Amino acid sequence: MPLTEEQVRQLAALSGLEIAPGHLPGVIRNLEVLQQQIALLFADPVDPVIEPAAVYRP
């Protein structure tokens, strides 16, 4: 779910932080990546029957 600038400003205010306007797009992108990583953490576990990927050897 994409975050809006207003949501990030509210989160920053709740945390007692100030975010410079020039840094806001980067903060939003980093929070979106964090949301994706959290979703992976809480996703269903991988089936143990699934074979692992091939080994990469350069």
Side-chain angles (χ1 to χ4, degrees):
M1 176 173 125
L3 292 169
T4 64
E5 286 187 17
E6 184 59 32
Q7 289 172 322
V8 173
R9 285 190 183 117
Q10 289 174 353
L11 288 170
L14 286 172
S15 301
L17 301 172
E18 291 183 26
I19 301 174
H23 294 288
L24 200 53
V27 171
I28 291 171
R29 179 65 189 133
N30 284 329
L31 287 173
E32 288 173 347
V33 169
L34 185 58
Q35 282 181 329
Q36 293 169 359
Q37 292 173 346
I38 290 170
L40 290 173
L41 181 67
F42 288 103
D44 293 331
V46 177
D47 187 358
V49 177
I50 295 175
E51 294 183 28
V55 177
Y56 173 76
R57 293 188 179 109

